[in-house]
mmCIF file of all heavy atoms in Angstrom:
data_model
loop_
_atom_site.group_PDB
_atom_site.id
_atom_site.type_symbol
_atom_site.label_atom_id
_atom_site.label_comp_id
_atom_site.label_asym_id
_atom_site.label_seq_id
_atom_site.Cartn_x
_atom_site.Cartn_y
_atom_site.Cartn_z
ATOM 1 N N LEU A 78 -46.250 7.196 -13.187
ATOM 2 C CA LEU A 78 -47.280 6.184 -13.457
ATOM 3 C C LEU A 78 -46.799 5.383 -14.667
ATOM 4 O O LEU A 78 -46.326 5.979 -15.648
ATOM 5 C CB LEU A 78 -48.625 6.855 -13.779
ATOM 6 C CG LEU A 78 -49.320 7.587 -12.623
ATOM 7 C CD1 LEU A 78 -50.510 8.401 -13.132
ATOM 8 C CD2 LEU A 78 -49.773 6.598 -11.550
ATOM 9 N N PRO A 79 -46.916 4.054 -14.610
ATOM 10 C CA PRO A 79 -46.332 3.234 -15.684
ATOM 11 C C PRO A 79 -46.883 3.550 -17.079
ATOM 12 O O PRO A 79 -46.157 3.462 -18.065
ATOM 13 C CB PRO A 79 -46.661 1.793 -15.273
ATOM 14 C CG PRO A 79 -47.592 1.884 -14.119
ATOM 15 C CD PRO A 79 -47.522 3.256 -13.552
ATOM 16 N N ASP A 80 -48.154 3.973 -17.155
ATOM 17 C CA ASP A 80 -48.750 4.186 -18.481
ATOM 18 C C ASP A 80 -48.572 5.599 -19.013
ATOM 19 O O ASP A 80 -48.959 5.888 -20.143
ATOM 20 C CB ASP A 80 -50.264 3.889 -18.436
ATOM 21 C CG ASP A 80 -50.522 2.478 -17.991
ATOM 22 O OD1 ASP A 80 -49.600 1.648 -18.148
ATOM 23 O OD2 ASP A 80 -51.616 2.212 -17.456
ATOM 24 N N VAL A 81 -48.051 6.490 -18.184
ATOM 25 C CA VAL A 81 -47.874 7.875 -18.644
ATOM 26 C C VAL A 81 -46.383 8.102 -18.865
ATOM 27 O O VAL A 81 -45.597 8.049 -17.929
ATOM 28 C CB VAL A 81 -48.417 8.883 -17.603
ATOM 29 C CG1 VAL A 81 -48.290 10.310 -18.122
ATOM 30 C CG2 VAL A 81 -49.860 8.565 -17.244
ATOM 31 N N ARG A 82 -46.005 8.318 -20.125
ATOM 32 C CA ARG A 82 -44.582 8.483 -20.448
ATOM 33 C C ARG A 82 -44.386 9.630 -21.414
ATOM 34 O O ARG A 82 -45.316 10.053 -22.092
ATOM 35 C CB ARG A 82 -44.049 7.206 -21.098
ATOM 36 C CG ARG A 82 -44.141 6.048 -20.127
ATOM 37 C CD ARG A 82 -43.273 4.889 -20.532
ATOM 38 N NE ARG A 82 -43.309 3.890 -19.481
ATOM 39 C CZ ARG A 82 -42.254 3.332 -18.938
ATOM 40 N NH1 ARG A 82 -41.053 3.646 -19.357
ATOM 41 N NH2 ARG A 82 -42.374 2.434 -17.980
ATOM 42 N N TYR A 83 -43.145 10.106 -21.473
ATOM 43 C CA TYR A 83 -42.813 11.097 -22.494
ATOM 44 C C TYR A 83 -42.848 10.411 -23.859
ATOM 45 O O TYR A 83 -42.840 9.167 -23.945
ATOM 46 C CB TYR A 83 -41.412 11.676 -22.244
ATOM 47 C CG TYR A 83 -41.299 12.499 -20.976
ATOM 48 C CD1 TYR A 83 -40.399 12.141 -19.970
ATOM 49 C CD2 TYR A 83 -42.073 13.639 -20.785
ATOM 50 C CE1 TYR A 83 -40.282 12.898 -18.805
ATOM 51 C CE2 TYR A 83 -41.964 14.399 -19.625
ATOM 52 C CZ TYR A 83 -41.070 14.018 -18.641
ATOM 53 O OH TYR A 83 -40.962 14.762 -17.496
ATOM 54 N N ASP A 84 -42.847 11.223 -24.920
ATOM 55 C CA ASP A 84 -42.933 10.660 -26.269
ATOM 56 C C ASP A 84 -41.806 9.681 -26.581
ATOM 57 O O ASP A 84 -41.978 8.741 -27.351
ATOM 58 C CB ASP A 84 -42.903 11.798 -27.315
ATOM 59 C CG ASP A 84 -44.211 12.584 -27.258
ATOM 60 O OD1 ASP A 84 -45.188 12.064 -26.679
ATOM 61 O OD2 ASP A 84 -44.243 13.722 -27.787
ATOM 62 N N ASP A 85 -40.601 9.900 -25.949
ATOM 63 C CA ASP A 85 -39.483 8.981 -26.225
ATOM 64 C C ASP A 85 -39.550 7.709 -25.388
ATOM 65 O O ASP A 85 -38.631 6.894 -25.396
ATOM 66 C CB ASP A 85 -38.138 9.699 -26.018
ATOM 67 C CG ASP A 85 -37.902 10.071 -24.555
ATOM 68 O OD1 ASP A 85 -38.748 9.750 -23.694
ATOM 69 O OD2 ASP A 85 -36.853 10.688 -24.264
ATOM 70 N N GLY A 86 -40.639 7.542 -24.619
ATOM 71 C CA GLY A 86 -40.846 6.303 -23.869
ATOM 72 C C GLY A 86 -40.274 6.330 -22.461
ATOM 73 O O GLY A 86 -40.475 5.391 -21.684
ATOM 74 N N THR A 87 -39.547 7.394 -22.085
ATOM 75 C CA THR A 87 -38.965 7.429 -20.734
ATOM 76 C C THR A 87 -40.016 7.841 -19.707
ATOM 77 O O THR A 87 -41.032 8.468 -20.030
ATOM 78 C CB THR A 87 -37.758 8.391 -20.652
ATOM 79 O OG1 THR A 87 -38.186 9.688 -21.084
ATOM 80 C CG2 THR A 87 -36.615 7.929 -21.534
ATOM 81 N N GLU A 88 -39.747 7.474 -18.443
ATOM 82 C CA GLU A 88 -40.719 7.725 -17.376
ATOM 83 C C GLU A 88 -40.713 9.185 -16.927
ATOM 84 O O GLU A 88 -39.700 9.861 -17.017
ATOM 85 C CB GLU A 88 -40.366 6.860 -16.161
ATOM 86 C CG GLU A 88 -40.743 5.414 -16.340
ATOM 87 C CD GLU A 88 -40.344 4.571 -15.139
ATOM 88 O OE1 GLU A 88 -40.359 5.086 -14.008
ATOM 89 O OE2 GLU A 88 -40.003 3.401 -15.360
ATOM 90 N N ILE A 89 -41.851 9.590 -16.385
ATOM 91 C CA ILE A 89 -41.968 10.946 -15.837
ATOM 92 C C ILE A 89 -41.397 10.898 -14.423
ATOM 93 O O ILE A 89 -41.956 10.217 -13.547
ATOM 94 C CB ILE A 89 -43.461 11.363 -15.743
ATOM 95 C CG1 ILE A 89 -44.222 11.014 -17.019
ATOM 96 C CG2 ILE A 89 -43.630 12.804 -15.282
ATOM 97 C CD1 ILE A 89 -44.196 11.967 -18.121
ATOM 98 N N SER A 90 -40.313 11.581 -14.180
ATOM 99 C CA SER A 90 -39.742 11.538 -12.828
ATOM 100 C C SER A 90 -39.230 12.919 -12.407
ATOM 101 O O SER A 90 -38.026 13.167 -12.418
ATOM 102 C CB SER A 90 -38.633 10.491 -12.741
ATOM 103 O OG SER A 90 -37.807 10.574 -13.882
ATOM 104 N N PRO A 91 -40.155 13.822 -12.030
ATOM 105 C CA PRO A 91 -39.746 15.164 -11.613
ATOM 106 C C PRO A 91 -38.773 15.147 -10.437
ATOM 107 O O PRO A 91 -38.001 16.080 -10.266
ATOM 108 C CB PRO A 91 -41.065 15.828 -11.205
ATOM 109 C CG PRO A 91 -42.129 15.015 -11.841
ATOM 110 C CD PRO A 91 -41.603 13.632 -11.969
ATOM 111 N N GLN A 92 -38.803 14.060 -9.634
ATOM 112 C CA GLN A 92 -37.874 14.001 -8.503
ATOM 113 C C GLN A 92 -36.427 14.003 -8.983
ATOM 114 O O GLN A 92 -35.543 14.595 -8.367
ATOM 115 C CB GLN A 92 -38.172 12.804 -7.582
ATOM 116 C CG GLN A 92 -38.015 11.423 -8.159
ATOM 117 C CD GLN A 92 -39.247 10.947 -8.945
ATOM 118 O OE1 GLN A 92 -40.011 11.761 -9.470
ATOM 119 N NE2 GLN A 92 -39.424 9.654 -9.050
ATOM 120 N N ILE A 93 -36.178 13.352 -10.156
ATOM 121 C CA ILE A 93 -34.811 13.337 -10.698
ATOM 122 C C ILE A 93 -34.471 14.707 -11.292
ATOM 123 O O ILE A 93 -33.359 15.212 -11.129
ATOM 124 C CB ILE A 93 -34.654 12.204 -11.736
ATOM 125 C CG1 ILE A 93 -34.843 10.859 -11.010
ATOM 126 C CG2 ILE A 93 -33.280 12.248 -12.406
ATOM 127 C CD1 ILE A 93 -34.782 9.643 -11.884
ATOM 128 N N ASP A 94 -35.476 15.357 -11.910
ATOM 129 C CA ASP A 94 -35.247 16.711 -12.442
ATOM 130 C C ASP A 94 -34.902 17.675 -11.300
ATOM 131 O O ASP A 94 -34.016 18.519 -11.436
ATOM 132 C CB ASP A 94 -36.492 17.219 -13.185
ATOM 133 C CG ASP A 94 -36.887 16.268 -14.316
ATOM 134 O OD1 ASP A 94 -35.982 15.590 -14.837
ATOM 135 O OD2 ASP A 94 -38.086 16.201 -14.653
ATOM 136 N N LEU A 95 -35.604 17.523 -10.170
ATOM 137 C CA LEU A 95 -35.337 18.396 -9.016
ATOM 138 C C LEU A 95 -33.919 18.176 -8.490
ATOM 139 O O LEU A 95 -33.212 19.119 -8.141
ATOM 140 C CB LEU A 95 -36.321 18.091 -7.884
ATOM 141 C CG LEU A 95 -37.690 18.756 -7.942
ATOM 142 C CD1 LEU A 95 -38.615 18.146 -6.896
ATOM 143 C CD2 LEU A 95 -37.584 20.258 -7.696
ATOM 144 N N ARG A 96 -33.519 16.905 -8.437
ATOM 145 C CA ARG A 96 -32.185 16.553 -7.939
ATOM 146 C C ARG A 96 -31.116 17.279 -8.752
ATOM 147 O O ARG A 96 -30.159 17.817 -8.215
ATOM 148 C CB ARG A 96 -32.014 15.040 -8.105
ATOM 149 C CG ARG A 96 -31.313 14.375 -6.972
ATOM 150 C CD ARG A 96 -31.248 12.884 -7.215
ATOM 151 N NE ARG A 96 -32.421 12.174 -6.744
ATOM 152 C CZ ARG A 96 -32.699 10.896 -7.047
ATOM 153 N NH1 ARG A 96 -31.913 10.209 -7.844
ATOM 154 N NH2 ARG A 96 -33.782 10.336 -6.579
ATOM 155 N N LYS A 97 -31.328 17.280 -10.079
ATOM 156 C CA LYS A 97 -30.339 17.921 -10.956
ATOM 157 C C LYS A 97 -30.418 19.443 -10.833
ATOM 158 O O LYS A 97 -29.410 20.120 -10.663
ATOM 159 C CB LYS A 97 -30.600 17.531 -12.408
ATOM 160 C CG LYS A 97 -30.197 16.100 -12.700
ATOM 161 C CD LYS A 97 -30.317 15.808 -14.179
ATOM 162 C CE LYS A 97 -30.050 14.344 -14.451
ATOM 163 N NZ LYS A 97 -30.759 13.841 -15.617
ATOM 164 N N ALA A 98 -31.648 19.975 -10.914
ATOM 165 C CA ALA A 98 -31.805 21.435 -10.935
ATOM 166 C C ALA A 98 -31.325 22.073 -9.637
ATOM 167 O O ALA A 98 -30.810 23.189 -9.642
ATOM 168 C CB ALA A 98 -33.267 21.789 -11.179
ATOM 169 N N LEU A 99 -31.486 21.379 -8.505
ATOM 170 C CA LEU A 99 -31.141 21.974 -7.210
ATOM 171 C C LEU A 99 -29.805 21.454 -6.670
ATOM 172 O O LEU A 99 -29.436 21.732 -5.535
ATOM 173 C CB LEU A 99 -32.266 21.710 -6.197
ATOM 174 C CG LEU A 99 -33.660 22.211 -6.615
ATOM 175 C CD1 LEU A 99 -34.703 21.851 -5.557
ATOM 176 C CD2 LEU A 99 -33.666 23.713 -6.850
ATOM 177 N N ASP A 100 -29.089 20.690 -7.495
ATOM 178 C CA ASP A 100 -27.775 20.144 -7.131
ATOM 179 C C ASP A 100 -27.815 19.411 -5.784
ATOM 180 O O ASP A 100 -27.064 19.720 -4.852
ATOM 181 C CB ASP A 100 -26.729 21.280 -7.109
ATOM 182 C CG ASP A 100 -25.310 20.710 -7.092
ATOM 183 O OD1 ASP A 100 -25.127 19.552 -7.503
ATOM 184 O OD2 ASP A 100 -24.388 21.432 -6.652
ATOM 185 N N LEU A 101 -28.694 18.441 -5.703
ATOM 186 C CA LEU A 101 -28.856 17.667 -4.461
ATOM 187 C C LEU A 101 -27.904 16.477 -4.525
ATOM 188 O O LEU A 101 -28.268 15.390 -4.961
ATOM 189 C CB LEU A 101 -30.317 17.221 -4.320
ATOM 190 C CG LEU A 101 -31.355 18.346 -4.472
ATOM 191 C CD1 LEU A 101 -32.766 17.800 -4.377
ATOM 192 C CD2 LEU A 101 -31.129 19.426 -3.417
ATOM 193 N N PHE A 102 -26.668 16.694 -4.127
ATOM 194 C CA PHE A 102 -25.615 15.704 -4.361
ATOM 195 C C PHE A 102 -25.602 14.553 -3.351
ATOM 196 O O PHE A 102 -25.042 13.509 -3.615
ATOM 197 C CB PHE A 102 -24.235 16.393 -4.385
ATOM 198 C CG PHE A 102 -23.932 17.161 -3.123
ATOM 199 C CD1 PHE A 102 -23.366 16.519 -2.037
ATOM 200 C CD2 PHE A 102 -24.233 18.505 -3.019
ATOM 201 C CE1 PHE A 102 -23.101 17.223 -0.868
ATOM 202 C CE2 PHE A 102 -23.969 19.219 -1.846
ATOM 203 C CZ PHE A 102 -23.402 18.570 -0.772
#
Side-chain angles (χ1 to χ4, degrees):
L78 291 170
D80 301 337
V81 183
R82 297 197 174 230
Y83 294 121
D84 290 343
D85 67 2
T87 56
E88 284 178 32
I89 315 274
S90 43
Q92 64 277 26
I93 296 177
D94 303 332
L95 276 170
R96 220 178 273 168
K97 287 187 186 151
L99 303 178
D100 195 22
L101 309 178
F102 57 86

